[in-house]
Amino acid sequence: MANIKKGDLVQVISGRTQAKGGDRGKQGKVLEVLVEQNRVIVEGVNYATKHTRVGQTQRGTKTGGIETIEAPIHISNVALVDPETKKPTRVGHRVEEQVKDGVKRTVRVRYAKKSGKDL
């Protein structure tokens, strides 16, 4: 089971500080998890400029030019944010039994190690 999933709130824990133009300390929502490369794309973090060819649509509006997009960041450089304290925390897993429609199931649940709250 992965520690970080799409939609989680994470904080950048390494790199240059914001005072020096970096992203350390910024929080954002995970837009995409790239499992094969061990990277995540976080909203508002690690912006990169991308040049695309300028074209024209049939209506005459211009497309392309210089765009800013979020670039992937390594998964070890971000930590999940505790929903209670709003600070980075480690993730734990525990097995719980749930009864649904008379059927018992064992479910793995992620929880924040600092506060013990479910994620």
Coordinates of all heavy atoms in Angstrom, one line a residue, residues 4-98:
I4 N 1.6 7.7 -0.1 CA 1.1 8.9 -0.7 C 0.2 8.6 -1.9 O 0.6 7.8 -2.8 CB 2.2 9.9 -1.1 CG1 3.0 10.3 0.2 CG2 1.6 11.1 -1.8 CD1 4.2 11.2 -0.1
K5 N -1.0 9.1 -1.9 CA -1.9 8.9 -3.0 C -2.4 10.2 -3.6 O -2.2 11.3 -3.0 CB -3.1 8.1 -2.4 CG -2.8 6.7 -2.0 CD -4.0 6.0 -1.5 CE -3.7 4.6 -1.1 NZ -4.9 3.8 -0.8
K6 N -3.1 10.1 -4.7 CA -3.7 11.2 -5.4 C -4.7 11.9 -4.5 O -5.5 11.2 -3.9 CB -4.3 10.8 -6.7 CG -4.9 11.9 -7.5 CD -5.5 11.3 -8.8 CE -6.2 12.4 -9.6 NZ -6.7 11.8 -10.8
G7 N -4.6 13.2 -4.4 CA -5.6 13.9 -3.6 C -5.1 14.2 -2.2 O -5.7 15.0 -1.4
D8 N -4.0 13.6 -1.7 CA -3.4 13.9 -0.4 C -2.8 15.3 -0.3 O -2.3 15.8 -1.3 CB -2.4 12.8 0.0 CG -2.9 11.5 0.3 OD1 -4.1 11.4 0.5 OD2 -2.1 10.5 0.3
L9 N -2.9 15.8 0.9 CA -2.2 17.1 1.1 C -0.8 16.8 1.7 O -0.6 16.1 2.6 CB -2.9 17.9 2.2 CG -2.4 19.3 2.5 CD1 -2.6 20.2 1.2 CD2 -3.1 19.9 3.7
V10 N 0.2 17.3 0.9 CA 1.6 17.0 1.3 C 2.4 18.3 1.5 O 2.0 19.4 1.0 CB 2.3 16.1 0.2 CG1 1.7 14.7 0.2 CG2 2.3 16.8 -1.1
Q11 N 3.6 18.2 2.1 CA 4.5 19.3 2.3 C 5.8 19.0 1.8 O 6.3 17.8 2.1 CB 4.5 19.7 3.8 CG 5.4 20.9 4.1 CD 5.3 21.4 5.5 OE1 4.3 21.2 6.1 NE2 6.3 22.0 6.0
V12 N 6.5 19.9 1.1 CA 7.9 19.7 0.7 C 8.8 19.8 1.9 O 8.8 20.8 2.6 CB 8.3 20.7 -0.4 CG1 9.7 20.4 -0.9 CG2 7.3 20.6 -1.6
I13 N 9.6 18.8 2.1 CA 10.5 18.7 3.3 C 12.0 18.9 3.0 O 12.8 18.9 3.9 CB 10.3 17.5 4.1 CG1 10.5 16.2 3.2 CG2 8.9 17.4 4.7 CD1 10.5 14.9 4.0
S14 N 12.3 19.0 1.7 CA 13.8 19.2 1.3 C 13.9 20.1 0.2 O 12.9 20.5 -0.5 CB 14.4 17.8 1.0 OG 13.8 17.4 -0.2
G15 N 15.1 20.6 -0.1 CA 15.4 21.5 -1.1 C 15.7 22.9 -0.6 O 15.9 23.1 0.6
R16 N 15.7 23.9 -1.4 CA 16.0 25.3 -1.0 C 14.8 25.9 -0.3 O 13.6 25.6 -0.6 CB 16.3 26.1 -2.3 CG 17.6 25.7 -2.9 CD 17.9 26.4 -4.2 NE 18.0 27.8 -3.9 CZ 18.3 28.7 -4.9 NH1 18.4 28.4 -6.1 NH2 18.4 30.0 -4.6
T17 N 15.0 26.8 0.6 CA 14.0 27.4 1.4 C 13.3 28.4 0.5 O 13.8 28.8 -0.6 CB 14.5 28.2 2.6 OG1 15.5 29.1 2.2 CG2 15.2 27.2 3.6
Q18 N 12.1 28.8 0.9 CA 11.3 29.8 0.1 C 12.0 31.1 0.1 O 11.9 31.9 -0.9 CB 9.9 29.9 0.7 CG 9.1 28.7 0.6 CD 7.7 28.8 1.1 OE1 7.1 29.9 1.1 NE2 7.1 27.8 1.7
A19 N 12.8 31.5 1.1 CA 13.5 32.8 1.1 C 14.6 32.8 0.0 O 14.9 33.9 -0.5 CB 14.1 33.0 2.5
K20 N 15.1 31.6 -0.3 CA 16.1 31.6 -1.4 C 15.5 31.1 -2.7 O 16.3 30.7 -3.6 CB 17.2 30.6 -1.0 CG 18.0 31.1 0.3 CD 19.1 30.2 0.6 CE 19.9 30.7 1.7 NZ 21.1 29.9 2.1
G21 N 14.2 31.2 -2.9 CA 13.6 30.9 -4.2 C 13.2 29.4 -4.3 O 12.9 29.0 -5.5
G22 N 13.2 28.6 -3.3 CA 12.9 27.2 -3.4 C 11.5 26.9 -3.0 O 10.6 27.8 -2.8
D23 N 11.2 25.7 -2.8 CA 9.8 25.2 -2.5 C 9.7 24.6 -1.1 O 8.6 24.1 -0.7 CB 9.3 24.2 -3.5 CG 9.1 24.9 -4.9 OD1 8.7 26.1 -4.8 OD2 9.2 24.3 -5.9
R24 N 10.8 24.5 -0.3 CA 10.7 23.8 1.0 C 9.7 24.5 1.9 O 9.6 25.7 2.0 CB 12.0 23.8 1.7 CG 12.0 22.9 2.9 CD 13.1 23.0 3.9 NE 14.4 23.1 3.2 CZ 15.5 23.6 3.8 NH1 15.5 24.0 5.1 NH2 16.6 23.6 3.2
G25 N 8.8 23.7 2.5 CA 7.8 24.2 3.4 C 6.4 24.5 2.7 O 5.4 24.7 3.4
K26 N 6.4 24.5 1.4 CA 5.1 24.7 0.7 C 4.2 23.4 0.8 O 4.7 22.3 0.8 CB 5.4 25.0 -0.8 CG 5.9 26.3 -1.1 CD 5.9 26.6 -2.6 CE 6.5 28.0 -2.9 NZ 6.6 28.2 -4.3
Q27 N 2.9 23.7 0.9 CA 2.0 22.6 1.0 C 1.1 22.6 -0.3 O 0.8 23.7 -0.8 CB 1.1 22.7 2.2 CG 1.8 22.4 3.5 CD 0.9 22.4 4.7 OE1 -0.3 22.7 4.6 NE2 1.5 22.1 5.9
G28 N 0.7 21.4 -0.7 CA -0.2 21.4 -1.9 C -0.8 20.0 -2.0 O -0.4 19.0 -1.4
K29 N -1.8 19.9 -2.9 CA -2.5 18.7 -3.1 C -1.8 17.9 -4.2 O -1.3 18.4 -5.2 CB -3.9 19.0 -3.6 CG -4.9 18.0 -3.3 CD -6.3 18.5 -3.5 CE -7.0 18.0 -4.7 NZ -8.3 18.4 -4.9
V30 N -1.7 16.6 -4.1 CA -1.1 15.7 -5.0 C -2.0 15.5 -6.2 O -3.2 15.1 -6.1 CB -0.8 14.3 -4.4 CG1 -0.2 13.4 -5.5 CG2 0.2 14.4 -3.3
L31 N -1.5 15.9 -7.4 CA -2.3 15.8 -8.6 C -2.1 14.5 -9.3 O -3.1 14.0 -9.9 CB -1.9 16.9 -9.6 CG -2.1 18.4 -9.1 CD1 -1.5 19.4 -10.1 CD2 -3.5 18.7 -8.9
E32 N -0.9 13.9 -9.2 CA -0.6 12.7 -9.9 C 0.5 12.0 -9.2 O 1.4 12.6 -8.7 CB -0.3 13.0 -11.4 CG -0.2 11.8 -12.3 CD 0.1 12.1 -13.7 OE1 0.1 13.3 -14.0 OE2 0.4 11.2 -14.5
V33 N 0.5 10.6 -9.2 CA 1.6 9.8 -8.6 C 2.1 9.0 -9.8 O 1.4 8.3 -10.4 CB 1.1 8.9 -7.5 CG1 2.2 8.1 -7.0 CG2 0.4 9.7 -6.4
L34 N 3.4 9.2 -10.0 CA 4.1 8.4 -11.1 C 4.9 7.3 -10.4 O 6.0 7.5 -9.9 CB 5.1 9.4 -11.8 CG 4.5 10.6 -12.4 CD1 5.6 11.6 -12.9 CD2 3.5 10.3 -13.5
V35 N 4.3 6.1 -10.3 CA 4.7 5.0 -9.5 C 6.1 4.5 -10.0 O 7.0 4.2 -9.2 CB 3.7 3.9 -9.4 CG1 4.2 2.7 -8.6 CG2 2.4 4.4 -8.9
E36 N 6.2 4.4 -11.3 CA 7.4 3.8 -11.9 C 8.6 4.6 -11.6 O 9.7 4.1 -11.4 CB 7.3 3.6 -13.4 CG 6.2 2.7 -13.9 CD 4.8 3.4 -13.9 OE1 4.8 4.6 -14.2 OE2 3.8 2.7 -13.7
Q37 N 8.5 5.9 -11.6 CA 9.6 6.8 -11.4 C 9.7 7.3 -9.9 O 10.6 8.1 -9.6 CB 9.5 8.1 -12.3 CG 9.6 7.7 -13.7 CD 8.4 8.3 -14.5 OE1 7.6 9.1 -14.0 NE2 8.3 7.9 -15.7
N38 N 8.9 6.8 -9.0 CA 8.8 7.3 -7.6 C 8.7 8.8 -7.5 O 9.4 9.4 -6.7 CB 10.1 6.8 -6.8 CG 10.0 5.3 -6.6 OD1 8.9 4.7 -6.5 ND2 11.1 4.6 -6.5
R39 N 7.8 9.4 -8.3 CA 7.7 10.8 -8.2 C 6.2 11.2 -8.1 O 5.3 10.4 -8.4 CB 8.3 11.5 -9.5 CG 9.8 11.3 -9.6 CD 10.4 12.0 -10.8 NE 11.8 11.9 -10.7 CZ 12.6 12.8 -10.2 NH1 12.1 13.9 -9.7 NH2 13.9 12.7 -10.2
V40 N 6.0 12.4 -7.6 CA 4.6 12.9 -7.5 C 4.6 14.3 -8.1 O 5.6 15.1 -8.1 CB 4.1 13.0 -6.0 CG1 3.9 11.6 -5.5 CG2 5.1 13.8 -5.2
I41 N 3.4 14.7 -8.6 CA 3.2 16.1 -9.1 C 2.3 16.8 -8.1 O 1.2 16.3 -7.8 CB 2.6 16.1 -10.5 CG1 3.5 15.4 -11.5 CG2 2.2 17.5 -10.9 CD1 3.0 15.3 -12.9
V42 N 2.8 17.9 -7.5 CA 2.1 18.6 -6.4 C 1.6 19.9 -7.0 O 2.4 20.6 -7.6 CB 3.0 18.8 -5.2 CG1 2.3 19.4 -4.1 CG2 3.6 17.4 -4.7
E43 N 0.4 20.3 -6.6 CA -0.2 21.5 -7.1 C 0.5 22.7 -6.4 O 0.7 22.8 -5.2 CB -1.7 21.5 -6.6 CG -2.5 22.7 -7.1 CD -3.9 22.6 -6.7 OE1 -4.2 22.1 -5.6 OE2 -4.8 23.0 -7.5
G44 N 1.0 23.6 -7.3 CA 1.7 24.8 -6.8 C 3.1 24.7 -6.4 O 3.7 25.6 -5.9
V45 N 3.7 23.5 -6.7 CA 5.1 23.3 -6.3 C 5.9 22.9 -7.5 O 5.5 22.2 -8.4 CB 5.2 22.2 -5.2 CG1 6.6 21.8 -4.9 CG2 4.4 22.6 -4.0
N46 N 7.2 23.3 -7.5 CA 8.2 22.9 -8.6 C 7.7 23.3 -10.0 O 7.6 22.5 -10.9 CB 8.4 21.4 -8.5 CG 9.7 21.0 -9.2 OD1 10.6 21.8 -9.4 ND2 9.8 19.7 -9.6
Y47 N 7.4 24.6 -10.2 CA 7.0 25.1 -11.5 C 8.2 25.1 -12.4 O 9.3 25.4 -12.1 CB 6.5 26.5 -11.4 CG 5.0 26.6 -11.0 CD1 4.7 27.1 -9.8 CD2 4.1 26.1 -11.8 CE1 3.3 27.2 -9.4 CE2 2.7 26.1 -11.5 CZ 2.4 26.7 -10.3 OH 1.0 26.8 -9.9
A48 N 7.9 24.7 -13.7 CA 8.9 24.7 -14.8 C 8.2 25.4 -16.0 O 7.0 25.3 -16.2 CB 9.3 23.3 -15.1
T49 N 9.1 26.1 -16.8 CA 8.5 26.7 -18.0 C 8.7 25.8 -19.1 O 9.7 25.1 -19.3 CB 9.2 28.1 -18.3 OG1 10.6 27.8 -18.4 CG2 9.0 29.1 -17.2
K50 N 7.7 25.7 -19.9 CA 7.7 24.8 -21.1 C 7.3 25.6 -22.3 O 6.4 26.4 -22.3 CB 6.6 23.7 -20.9 CG 6.6 22.7 -22.0 CD 5.6 21.6 -21.7 CE 5.6 20.5 -22.7 NZ 4.6 19.5 -22.5
H51 N 8.1 25.5 -23.4 CA 7.9 26.2 -24.6 C 7.2 25.3 -25.6 O 7.7 24.1 -25.8 CB 9.2 26.6 -25.2 CG 10.0 27.6 -24.4 ND1 9.9 29.0 -24.6 CD2 10.8 27.5 -23.3 CE1 10.6 29.6 -23.7 NE2 11.2 28.7 -22.9
T52 N 6.1 25.7 -26.1 CA 5.3 24.9 -27.0 C 5.2 25.7 -28.3 O 5.1 27.0 -28.3 CB 3.9 24.5 -26.5 OG1 3.2 25.7 -26.2 CG2 4.0 23.6 -25.3
R53 N 5.1 25.0 -29.4 CA 5.0 25.6 -30.7 C 3.8 26.5 -30.8 O 2.7 26.0 -30.5 CB 5.0 24.6 -31.8 CG 5.1 25.2 -33.2 CD 5.0 24.0 -34.2 NE 6.1 23.2 -34.1 CZ 7.1 23.1 -35.0 NH1 7.0 23.9 -36.1 NH2 8.1 22.3 -34.9
V54 N 3.9 27.7 -31.3 CA 2.8 28.6 -31.5 C 2.0 28.2 -32.7 O 2.6 28.0 -33.8 CB 3.3 30.1 -31.6 CG1 2.1 31.0 -31.9 CG2 4.0 30.5 -30.4
G55 N 0.7 28.0 -32.5 CA -0.2 27.6 -33.6 C -1.4 28.5 -33.6 O -1.5 29.5 -32.9
Q56 N -2.3 28.1 -34.5 CA -3.6 28.8 -34.6 C -4.7 27.9 -34.7 O -4.6 26.9 -35.4 CB -3.5 29.7 -35.8 CG -4.0 31.1 -35.6 CD -3.8 32.0 -36.8 OE1 -3.4 31.6 -37.8 NE2 -4.0 33.3 -36.6
T57 N -5.8 28.1 -34.0 CA -7.0 27.3 -34.1 C -7.8 27.8 -35.3 O -7.5 28.8 -36.0 CB -7.9 27.4 -32.9 OG1 -8.3 28.8 -32.7 CG2 -7.1 27.0 -31.6
Q58 N -8.9 27.1 -35.7 CA -9.7 27.5 -36.8 C -10.4 28.8 -36.6 O -10.7 29.5 -37.6 CB -10.7 26.4 -37.1 CG -10.0 25.1 -37.6 CD -11.1 24.1 -38.1 OE1 -12.2 24.2 -37.8 NE2 -10.6 23.0 -38.7
R59 N -10.6 29.2 -35.4 CA -11.2 30.4 -35.1 C -10.3 31.6 -35.1 O -10.7 32.8 -35.1 CB -11.9 30.4 -33.7 CG -13.0 29.4 -33.6 CD -13.7 29.6 -32.2 NE -14.7 28.6 -32.1 CZ -15.2 28.1 -31.0 NH1 -14.6 28.6 -29.8 NH2 -16.2 27.3 -30.9
G60 N -9.0 31.3 -35.2 CA -8.0 32.4 -35.3 C -7.3 32.7 -34.0 O -6.4 33.6 -34.0
T61 N -7.6 32.0 -32.9 CA -6.9 32.3 -31.6 C -5.6 31.6 -31.6 O -5.5 30.5 -32.2 CB -7.8 31.9 -30.4 OG1 -8.0 30.5 -30.6 CG2 -9.1 32.6 -30.4
K62 N -4.6 32.2 -31.0 CA -3.3 31.6 -30.9 C -3.2 30.6 -29.8 O -3.7 30.9 -28.7 CB -2.2 32.7 -30.8 CG -2.1 33.6 -32.0 CD -0.8 34.3 -32.0 CE -0.7 35.1 -33.3 NZ 0.6 35.4 -33.7
T63 N -2.5 29.6 -30.0 CA -2.2 28.6 -29.0 C -0.7 28.4 -28.9 O 0.1 28.7 -29.8 CB -2.8 27.2 -29.4 OG1 -2.2 26.8 -30.6 CG2 -4.3 27.3 -29.5
G64 N -0.2 27.9 -27.7 CA 1.2 27.7 -27.5 C 1.9 28.9 -26.9 O 1.3 29.8 -26.3
G65 N 3.2 28.9 -27.0 CA 4.0 29.9 -26.4 C 4.7 29.4 -25.2 O 5.0 28.2 -25.1
I66 N 4.9 30.2 -24.2 CA 5.6 29.8 -22.9 C 4.5 29.5 -21.9 O 3.7 30.4 -21.6 CB 6.5 30.9 -22.4 CG1 7.6 31.2 -23.5 CG2 7.1 30.5 -21.1 CD1 8.5 32.3 -23.1
E67 N 4.5 28.3 -21.3 CA 3.6 27.9 -20.3 C 4.4 27.5 -19.1 O 5.5 27.0 -19.1 CB 2.8 26.7 -20.8 CG 2.0 26.9 -22.1 CD 1.4 25.6 -22.6 OE1 1.7 24.5 -22.1 OE2 0.6 25.7 -23.5
T68 N 3.7 27.6 -17.9 CA 4.3 27.1 -16.7 C 3.5 25.9 -16.2 O 2.3 26.0 -16.1 CB 4.3 28.2 -15.6 OG1 3.0 28.7 -15.4 CG2 5.2 29.4 -15.9
I69 N 4.2 24.8 -15.9 CA 3.5 23.6 -15.5 C 4.2 23.1 -14.2 O 5.4 23.5 -14.0 CB 3.6 22.5 -16.6 CG1 5.0 22.2 -17.0 CG2 2.8 22.9 -17.8 CD1 5.1 20.9 -17.8
E70 N 3.5 22.2 -13.5 CA 4.2 21.6 -12.3 C 5.0 20.4 -12.8 O 4.5 19.6 -13.5 CB 3.1 21.1 -11.3 CG 2.4 22.3 -10.6 CD 1.0 22.6 -11.1 OE1 0.6 22.0 -12.1 OE2 0.4 23.4 -10.5
A71 N 6.2 20.4 -12.4 CA 7.1 19.3 -12.7 C 7.1 18.3 -11.6 O 6.8 18.6 -10.5 CB 8.6 19.8 -13.0
P72 N 7.4 17.0 -11.9 CA 7.4 16.0 -10.9 C 8.5 16.3 -9.8 O 9.6 16.8 -10.1 CB 7.7 14.7 -11.6 CG 7.4 15.0 -13.0 CD 7.7 16.4 -13.2
I73 N 8.3 15.8 -8.6 CA 9.2 15.9 -7.5 C 9.3 14.5 -6.9 O 8.4 13.8 -6.9 CB 8.8 17.0 -6.5 CG1 9.8 17.2 -5.4 CG2 7.4 16.7 -5.9 CD1 9.5 18.4 -4.5
H74 N 10.5 14.2 -6.4 CA 10.7 12.8 -5.9 C 9.9 12.6 -4.6 O 9.7 13.5 -3.8 CB 12.2 12.6 -5.6 CG 12.5 11.1 -5.5 ND1 12.4 10.4 -4.3 CD2 12.9 10.2 -6.4 CE1 12.7 9.1 -4.5 NE2 13.0 9.0 -5.8
I75 N 9.3 11.4 -4.5 CA 8.4 11.1 -3.4 C 9.0 11.2 -2.0 O 8.3 11.4 -1.0 CB 7.7 9.7 -3.7 CG1 6.4 9.6 -3.0 CG2 8.6 8.6 -3.3 CD1 5.5 8.5 -3.6
S76 N 10.3 11.0 -2.0 CA 11.0 11.1 -0.7 C 11.2 12.5 -0.2 O 11.5 12.8 0.9 CB 12.4 10.4 -0.8 OG 13.2 11.2 -1.6
N77 N 11.0 13.5 -1.1 CA 11.1 14.9 -0.7 C 9.8 15.5 -0.2 O 9.8 16.7 0.0 CB 11.6 15.7 -1.9 CG 13.0 15.3 -2.3 OD1 13.8 14.7 -1.4 ND2 13.4 15.5 -3.5
V78 N 8.7 14.7 -0.1 CA 7.5 15.3 0.4 C 7.0 14.4 1.5 O 7.3 13.2 1.6 CB 6.4 15.3 -0.7 CG1 6.7 16.3 -1.8 CG2 6.1 13.9 -1.3
A79 N 6.2 15.0 2.5 CA 5.7 14.2 3.6 C 4.2 14.6 3.7 O 3.8 15.7 3.4 CB 6.4 14.6 4.9
L80 N 3.4 13.6 4.1 CA 2.0 13.8 4.2 C 1.7 14.7 5.4 O 2.4 14.8 6.4 CB 1.3 12.4 4.5 CG 0.0 12.2 4.0 CD1 0.0 12.3 2.5 CD2 -0.6 10.9 4.4
V81 N 0.7 15.6 5.2 CA 0.3 16.6 6.3 C -0.7 16.0 7.2 O -1.7 15.4 6.7 CB -0.2 17.9 5.6 CG1 -0.7 18.8 6.7 CG2 0.9 18.5 4.8
D82 N -0.5 16.1 8.5 CA -1.4 15.6 9.5 C -2.6 16.5 9.5 O -2.6 17.7 9.5 CB -0.7 15.7 10.9 CG -1.5 15.0 12.0 OD1 -2.7 14.8 11.8 OD2 -0.8 14.6 13.0
P83 N -3.8 15.9 9.4 CA -5.1 16.7 9.3 C -5.4 17.4 10.5 O -6.1 18.4 10.5 CB -6.2 15.6 9.0 CG -5.6 14.3 9.4 CD -4.1 14.4 9.3
E84 N -4.8 17.0 11.7 CA -5.1 17.7 12.9 C -4.2 18.9 13.2 O -4.7 20.0 13.5 CB -5.0 16.7 14.1 CG -5.8 17.1 15.3 CD -5.8 16.0 16.3 OE1 -6.8 15.2 16.2 OE2 -4.9 15.9 17.2
T85 N -2.9 18.7 13.0 CA -1.9 19.7 13.4 C -1.4 20.5 12.1 O -0.8 21.5 12.3 CB -0.7 19.1 14.0 OG1 -0.1 18.2 13.1 CG2 -1.0 18.3 15.3
K86 N -1.8 20.1 10.9 CA -1.3 20.7 9.7 C 0.2 20.8 9.5 O 0.7 21.7 8.9 CB -1.9 22.1 9.6 CG -3.4 22.2 9.6 CD -4.1 21.6 8.4 CE -5.6 21.8 8.5 NZ -6.3 20.7 8.0
K87 N 0.9 19.8 10.1 CA 2.3 19.7 10.0 C 2.7 18.3 9.4 O 1.9 17.4 9.5 CB 3.0 19.8 11.4 CG 2.8 21.2 12.0 CD 3.6 21.3 13.2 CE 3.6 22.8 13.7 NZ 4.3 22.9 15.0
P88 N 3.9 18.2 8.8 CA 4.2 16.9 8.2 C 4.3 15.8 9.2 O 4.7 16.0 10.3 CB 5.6 17.2 7.5 CG 6.0 18.4 8.1 CD 4.9 19.2 8.6
T89 N 3.9 14.6 8.8 CA 3.9 13.4 9.7 C 4.3 12.2 8.8 O 4.2 12.2 7.6 CB 2.6 13.2 10.3 OG1 2.6 12.1 11.2 CG2 1.5 13.0 9.3
R90 N 4.7 11.1 9.6 CA 4.9 9.9 8.9 C 3.6 9.1 8.8 O 2.6 9.4 9.6 CB 5.9 9.1 9.7 CG 7.3 9.7 9.6 CD 8.4 8.9 10.1 NE 8.1 8.5 11.5 CZ 8.8 7.7 12.3 NH1 9.9 7.2 11.8 NH2 8.5 7.4 13.5
V91 N 3.5 8.1 8.0 CA 2.3 7.4 7.8 C 2.4 6.0 8.3 O 3.4 5.3 8.1 CB 2.0 7.3 6.3 CG1 0.7 6.5 6.0 CG2 1.9 8.7 5.7
G92 N 1.4 5.5 9.0 CA 1.4 4.1 9.5 C 0.2 3.4 8.9 O -0.7 4.0 8.4
H93 N 0.2 2.1 9.0 CA -0.8 1.2 8.5 C -1.3 0.3 9.6 O -0.5 -0.2 10.3 CB -0.3 0.4 7.3 CG 0.2 1.2 6.1 ND1 -0.7 1.8 5.2 CD2 1.4 1.5 5.7 CE1 0.0 2.4 4.3 NE2 1.3 2.3 4.6
R94 N -2.6 0.1 9.7 CA -3.1 -0.8 10.6 C -4.3 -1.6 9.9 O -4.9 -1.1 9.0 CB -3.6 -0.2 11.9 CG -4.8 0.7 11.8 CD -5.3 1.2 13.2 NE -6.2 2.3 13.0 CZ -6.0 3.5 13.3 NH1 -4.8 3.8 13.9 NH2 -6.9 4.5 13.1
V95 N -4.5 -2.8 10.4 CA -5.5 -3.7 9.8 C -6.8 -3.6 10.7 O -6.7 -3.8 11.9 CB -5.0 -5.1 9.6 CG1 -6.1 -6.0 9.1 CG2 -3.8 -5.2 8.8
E96 N -7.9 -3.3 10.1 CA -9.2 -3.2 10.8 C -10.2 -4.2 10.2 O -10.1 -4.4 9.0 CB -9.7 -1.8 10.8 CG -8.9 -0.8 11.6 CD -9.5 0.6 11.6 OE1 -10.5 0.8 10.9 OE2 -9.0 1.4 12.4
E97 N -11.1 -4.6 11.0 CA -12.2 -5.5 10.4 C -13.4 -4.6 10.3 O -13.8 -3.9 11.2 CB -12.5 -6.6 11.3 CG -11.4 -7.7 11.3 CD -11.8 -9.0 12.0 OE1 -13.0 -9.1 12.4 OE2 -11.0 -9.9 12.0
Q98 N -14.1 -4.7 9.1 CA -15.3 -3.9 8.9 C -16.4 -4.9 8.5 O -16.1 -5.9 7.8 CB -15.1 -2.9 7.8 CG -14.2 -1.8 8.1 CD -14.1 -0.8 7.0 OE1 -14.5 -1.0 5.9 NE2 -13.6 0.4 7.3

